[in-house]
């Protein structure tokens, strides 16, 4: 599903105009991004938890040239699905 398909689905399910749904989806993305940038954790009960993790610097290898490279440390976003979401995805209905 693409972002535009998500916006259409939200508009249909919530009874909104596409412009309003687009604003809602953009606001959600902005809010999650802002919370993660600050180092906060965002929990949506039943859906899942957005958080960040520190990835240490490490050595790697360019697969095309075989040259050794340094990969810098980074903070990466994580998502842990909630129980309700896992059950919904795994249900056979």
């Amino acid at each position: 599903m693409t972002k535009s398909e998500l916006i259409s689905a939200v508009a249909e399910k919530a009874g909104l105009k596409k412009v309003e749904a687009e604003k809602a989806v953009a606001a959600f993305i902005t809010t999650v991004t802002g919370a993660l940038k600050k180092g906060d954790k965002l929990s949506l009960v039943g859906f899942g938890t957005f958080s960040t993790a520190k990835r240490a610097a490490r050595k790697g290898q360019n697969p095309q040239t075989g040259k050794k490279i340094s990969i810098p440390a980074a903070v990466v976003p994580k998502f842990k699905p909630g129980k309700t979401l896992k059950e919904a995805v795994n249900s056979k209905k």
Side-chain angles (χ1 to χ4, degrees):
M1 178 180 274
T2 65
K3 186 176 178 181
S4 61
E5 291 170 339
L6 174 64
I7 290 167
S8 296
V10 168
E12 184 180 321
K13 290 188 188 276
L16 300 172
K17 294 178 182 174
K18 280 191 179 181
V19 173
E20 295 168 334
E22 185 174 6
K23 286 180 184 178
V25 169
F28 177 76
I29 292 169
T30 302
T31 303
V32 171
T33 302
L36 295 179
K37 273 184 162 181
K38 289 192 294 186
D40 293 342
K41 184 162 63 167
L42 182 104
S43 295
L44 301 171
V45 176
F47 183 72
T49 303
F50 295 91
S51 61
T52 57
K54 293 180 182 178
R55 185 180 293 161
R58 60 195 191 279
K59 297 289 182 189
Q61 185 173 353
N62 182 330
Q64 291 180 335
T65 64
K67 182 179 176 186
K68 301 285 184 189
I69 57 172
S70 277
I71 302 169
V75 177
V76 295
K78 288 183 4 177
F79 176 74
K80 181 180 179 189
K83 181 181 177 184
T84 307
L85 178 60
K86 283 191 240 179
E87 289 172 353
V89 169
N90 288 307
S91 71
K92 300 202 188 294
K93 290 183 181 179

